[in-house]
Amino acid sequence: QEFQQVTWTEDVTVSSEVFEADFLKEVQEGLDEIAEKLGDAAETKDFRRLGKRMHHVIQQLGRQSLEVYVKKCVVRRLKQHCEELRQIQQLPAEERSNLEKLLQKLPLLEELTRIFYSHFTTRPCVTRAPKISAKVEKLSHIISKEQNEAQEAGSGGSKGIVFVEQVAITEPLAVALSEKVEAEAVYGMLPKKD
């Protein structure tokens, strides 16, 4: 199989610097409210990166995937990150204390993110974004085409690998593809910093 260059038309709305600034401003307001309720637990570096990751998800994948990221990935990813940090022996005492506090408050964080997202979906910075990005549409089309060609050739099916630059989009992309294409999307993550 040969590699091929694939192009798609990017949605100028979500790829603009104005959209990014508006999105980050609005998302930060909600994250600041959550941080206030979490107290010191929100001082972990991972928590402070959420706004940028959310922007990356909506920009690359669309509104539907942002919902998956916020509702399914945020709390689980923070928990994984905290568990990894726990293993570091030289972790400064203040950081260790903050991560322990965050681990204790994960159920509260889960509830707060659910409430946050339900209010956040009506904001213009979210409603302007497409439900599904052109990138996901193009990738879905390529996978469907490969599946059809494999069935016509009688090979019974096809398999493929999709690589992503940032871990944040792994699960939302897998969910989006499994909903768009009749295929099982399996994903895994190597320990890697965004």
Side-chain angles (χ1 to χ4, degrees):
Q1 187 94 33
E2 294 181 20
F3 288 100
Q4 60 181 344
Q5 183 72 29
V6 177
T7 59
W8 61 92
T9 305
E10 290 215 24
D11 184 336
V12 292
T13 305
V14 296
S15 62
S16 74
E17 290 177 14
V18 172
F19 176 83
E20 181 177 7
D22 288 348
F23 183 89
L24 291 175
K25 180 180 179 268
E26 290 191 35
V27 80
Q28 198 56 53
E29 291 171 9
L31 291 175
D32 287 347
E33 287 178 26
I34 292 173
E36 187 177 312
K37 292 176 180 164
L38 291 176
D40 291 346
E43 290 302 310
T44 62
K45 292 175 188 164
D46 217 42
F47 182 82
R48 294 190 303 255
R49 292 185 190 126
L50 280 176
K52 286 272 191 193
R53 289 185 181 139
M54 289 171 65
H55 173 259
H56 187 70
V57 169
I58 199 169
Q59 179 188 37
Q60 296 295 310
L61 307 177
R63 283 191 324 261
Q64 185 173 319
S65 294
L66 179 64
E67 180 177 4
V68 171
Y69 179 71
V70 172
K71 290 184 175 179
K72 292 186 176 182
C73 303
V74 168
V75 174
R76 185 174 58 242
R77 182 66 194 125
L78 282 173
K79 181 179 181 182
Q80 288 171 343
H81 183 69
C82 288
E83 294 295 344
E84 290 166 9
L85 286 175
R86 258 185 172 168
Q87 304 304 315
I88 299 173
Q89 299 298 323
Q90 294 85 17
L91 191 66
E94 183 179 352
E95 278 191 54
R96 185 171 299 281
S97 172
N98 287 339
L99 93 89
E100 293 298 335
K101 290 175 187 174
L102 182 58
L103 281 170
Q104 291 172 2
K105 292 188 177 184
L106 285 177
L108 173 62
L109 177 60
E110 193 166 13
E111 178 65 17
L112 293 172
T113 54
R114 188 186 59 73
I115 293 167
F116 162 73
Y117 188 76
S118 67
H119 295 294
F120 191 60
T121 56
T122 59
R123 304 257 178 124
C125 67
V126 175
T127 59
R128 285 194 317 247
K131 182 177 180 182
I132 299 170
S133 73
K135 182 184 276 189
V136 172
E137 292 287 357
K138 184 70 173 188
L139 185 55
S140 300
H141 175 75
I142 291 168
I143 292 170
S144 293
K145 183 180 170 191
E146 290 292 323
Q147 285 178 324
N148 291 337
E149 289 174 3
Q151 285 178 341
E152 289 173 8
S155 65
S158 62
K159 295 179 182 178
I161 299 174
V162 176
F163 293 95
V164 298
E165 285 185 39
Q166 290 190 16
V167 172
I169 69 170
T170 306
E171 185 173 358
L173 178 60
V175 171
L177 289 176
S178 66
E179 289 175 357
K180 295 282 295 169
V181 181
E182 288 186 32
E184 180 182 3
V186 179
Y187 61 93
M189 293 180 260
L190 294 174
K192 165 190 155 187
K193 293 184 179 182
D194 284 318

